[in-house]
Amino acid sequence: MSDEKVYILPCSGIGKVFGSIGREAAYIVVDELAKDKTKLECLPLVVKGKKEIIETLKANKVIVIDGCPMRCSYNDITEAVGKVDAQFMSTDIVKERRDLKPEKQIIPMGENAKKLSLILAEKIASKVNELLEENRGGDE
Amino acid sequence: MSVKPKIGIIACSGENEIGGTLSRAAARIVVEKLRPDNTVILCQPLFMAGGLERHGGQEERDFAKTHPTITIEGCQEECAKIAVSNYSGPPAATIHVQEIMEKYPELQPESKRELGVAGMKLAKKIAEKIAQKVDELYNI
């Protein structure tokens, strides 16, 4: 098993359900779909300037997940780390799947919001594999 | 009768410690159930977001300049307090989740992803502490 990880940083905003969909998707990826290939990292600590975390993110692939057009996670990571390797917006999934209107309730999340999280997670897990392939290609 | 301004609640958006999850659950309980007429959620990622001046989204920071705020910290790093202090001025109060966790060792959350029954009871205890602080601020 490789030590190589893709780091996942959701915005985890709680003003609306979209941040929670992104967060749940991140956990599905890290705990289930790409368990040994990914790791969750703490966005506030990056913004705070924690050197060891920033250096780790610079040396690895990074995926950000945002829940609104302010794209806090994308902007924060770009500013602190200098790069983002892939970005996802939970609102894009909501637009793609209008049949699954997310419930407003955040704690606990509703059934549609959970289904949307899984759909988003599957897309993220696929991107994880692509990024790791890129890395292997670069090493050859 | 004068209308008192709403109090902004800013929870940690971190994912490294269980305290982050508890802080967000407690914030939602306060705003949705315990003090819905006196409080509003402010999104912590938006406080920290890099380049907000360039792409909009100043509302949270502006609100916190003119309204009292309570930050809820998931760990000793105090990221929420630092973010609010940097962009809007010092919060009126800060709640440290870990201090409340230590008072209720029997209430062990399941995981960062899912708090479970005991974890939600603990979140309610934290929410009650926040609500108490809201009342104190209103009585000033």
Side-chain angles (χ1 to χ4, degrees), chain B:
Chain B
M1 191 180 74
S2 66
V3 178
K4 291 199 173 180
K6 285 204 174 195
I7 292 170
I9 308 289
I10 302 112
C12 156
S13 61
E15 296 291 354
N16 268 13
E17 304 282 340
I18 195 113
T21 312
L22 283 165
S23 74
R24 292 187 290 272
R28 293 300 320 183
I29 292 169
V30 171
V31 171
E32 288 174 17
K33 297 183 177 148
L34 301 184
R35 297 294 182 272
D37 298 328
N38 314 112
T39 56
V40 63
I41 288 267
L42 299 180
C43 191
Q44 198 220 341
L46 263 178
F47 269 93
M48 310 180 304
L52 266 191
E53 301 78 10
R54 296 192 297 277
H55 54 80
Q58 285 278 0
E59 291 87 354
E60 319 279 292
R61 293 179 185 174
D62 290 343
F63 182 96
K65 282 177 188 164
T66 53
H67 295 72
T69 54
I70 299 175
T71 64
I72 313 164
E73 308 297 338
C75 75
Q76 73 285 355
E77 297 284 344
E78 294 193 318
C79 297
K81 183 179 178 179
I82 291 168
V84 174
S85 301
N86 280 351
Y87 296 109
S88 304
T94 293
I95 304 283
H96 294 92
V97 166
Q98 281 180 329
E99 287 174 11
I100 302 168
M101 287 172 75
E102 282 162 18
K103 281 188 190 165
Y104 301 97
E106 72 281 13
L107 296 178
Q108 288 294 324
E110 270 175 32
S111 68
K112 284 190 286 182
R113 181 175 171 186
E114 288 286 345
L115 290 176
V117 175
M120 282 308 290
K121 280 185 189 167
L122 182 55
K124 178 92 189 298
K125 298 280 184 198
I126 297 162
E128 285 164 358
K129 180 85 179 166
I130 301 164
Q132 191 187 332
K133 192 55 79 177
V134 169
D135 295 343
E136 281 172 30
L137 291 172
Y138 262 81
N139 290 333
I140 290 170

Side-chain angles (χ1 to χ4, degrees), chain A residues 77-101:
Chain A
I77 297 303
T78 303
E79 198 146 296
V81 179
K83 57 116 187 178
V84 161
D85 297 290
Q87 56 170 317
F88 289 87
M89 292 274 295
S90 62
T91 46
D92 288 342
I93 303 300
V94 175
K95 283 179 204 158
E96 275 176 30
R97 293 298 306 264
R98 292 195 188 273
D99 55 317
L100 293 174
K101 190 170 188 236

Side-chain angles (χ1 to χ4, degrees), chain A residues 96-131:
Chain A
E96 275 176 30
R97 293 298 306 264
R98 292 195 188 273
D99 55 317
L100 293 174
K101 190 170 188 236
E103 300 83 358
K104 284 185 181 168
Q105 184 188 329
I106 290 177
I107 297 171
M109 272 180 17
E111 284 308 308
N112 282 352
K114 282 185 183 167
K115 285 178 190 165
L116 289 163
S117 301
L118 179 58
I119 295 166
L120 177 57
E122 284 165 350
K123 285 178 186 263
I124 298 166
S126 165
K127 181 56 80 176
V128 167
N129 289 333
E130 270 178 43
L131 292 174

